[in-house]
Amino acid sequence: MNQVYSKTLKGQEEIKTRAGGLSQRMRQLLIFIDGKRSRDELFGMLKGDDMDALLAALVEQGMVEASGSAAPKAAAPAAAPAPAPASTAAATAVAAAPQPAPKAPEPPKLDAAERERRQREEEALAELAMARSFMGRMS
C-alpha cells in the first residue's frame, strides 16, 4: 500500500521553530510531507537508502501521521466513441450547443480556524518552494 502522510501540529511547529533538532535530511522530508504526496513520491524527490528510517522516526516523534493511501494513477483515456448515425447527428449537434455558464456560488465566509489553517498551508508551501530552490542549488 502506498501510504500518504501529513504533518501533525507538532510537525508544523517543528517547521517554524526548529526546536526538535532534526537532521537536515529529516527536516527536508518533513517539509515535503503535505498530506497529498504518497510515500513513493516523497522518496522519489529525496533519494536515499535511509528514507524509511527517517519517515519512521518522524512518525515515532509524533511529527507526521499516516493520513490514508494514495489514489491510483488515472488510466489512459478510452477510445473515442463511434460517430452517431445521421438521424441522431442533428439532435446531438443541438445538445452539444454551448450553454450559458451557471453563475458560480459565493465562497463561504471563513471562520478563524479555517483562515489559520489556510495561512499555515501557505507558509508550508512557501517553505517547500524555498527548500526546492535550495536543493536545486545543491545539485
Side-chain angles (χ1 to χ4, degrees):
M1 180 162 68
N2 201 0
Q3 197 70 42
V4 174
Y5 292 88
S6 55
K7 289 182 196 83
T8 63
L9 288 177
K10 183 177 180 181
Q12 293 171 7
E13 280 300 309
E14 174 60 25
I15 295 293
K16 293 177 188 175
T17 65
R18 297 178 182 240
L22 298 180
S23 69
Q24 181 181 359
R25 297 270 299 149
M26 195 174 288
R27 182 170 171 77
Q28 286 172 339
L29 179 57
L30 180 61
I31 288 170
F32 286 137
I33 291 173
D34 63 358
K36 298 174 187 168
R37 292 187 186 101
S38 68
R39 174 195 167 278
D40 290 347
E41 289 172 306
L42 291 167
F43 287 19
M45 295 168 69
L46 299 165
K47 307 273 188 226
D49 295 335
D50 60 344
M51 298 306 294
D52 279 316
L54 294 175
L55 183 59
L58 287 172
V59 170
E60 184 177 309
Q61 293 177 27
M63 294 190 190
V64 298
E65 62 187 2
S67 59
S69 58
K73 299 291 182 192
S87 61
T88 61
T92 304
V94 170
Q99 302 294 321
K103 185 176 178 182
E106 294 269 333
K109 301 269 188 230
L110 301 177
D111 63 359
E114 181 64 14
R115 281 193 307 269
E116 183 178 312
R117 185 193 68 76
R118 288 186 181 187
Q119 182 179 359
R120 283 194 315 262
E121 184 175 83
E122 288 174 9
E123 290 170 355
L125 290 173
E127 285 187 25
L128 178 61
M130 288 189 310
R132 285 182 176 158
S133 173
F134 176 75
M135 292 302 294
R137 287 182 271 158
M138 297 295 289
S139 301

